[in-house]
Amino acid sequence: MKSLRRIIAAVTVGILAFRAVGSFLSWIEKQDDSNSDAWIDEDEFEEA
């Protein structure tokens, strides 16, 4: 019975970790899509 609980717990932790990584990568992808001027270098801004 203990081994069954441990297997279920390990599977649950694995699923939660997979979902967390997926949501983090989704958040990074959304950040890349947004137009942000925070990282523009001042020299590049003057040239444009």
Side-chain angles (χ1 to χ4, degrees):
M1 195 63 167
K2 279 186 179 181
S3 62
L4 181 61
R5 283 191 213 160
R6 289 181 182 175
I7 291 171
I8 292 172
V11 169
T12 303
V13 169
I15 290 171
L16 289 176
F18 183 75
R19 289 184 64 195
V21 169
S23 64
F24 179 70
L25 293 175
S26 173
W27 177 78
I28 289 177
E29 187 173 308
K30 287 179 186 176
Q31 296 298 316
D32 288 343
D33 291 344
S34 67
N35 293 333
S36 176
D37 296 336
W39 297 103
I40 293 179
D41 199 6
E42 289 180 12
D43 294 334
E44 292 178 9
F45 186 69
E46 290 175 0
E47 291 174 4

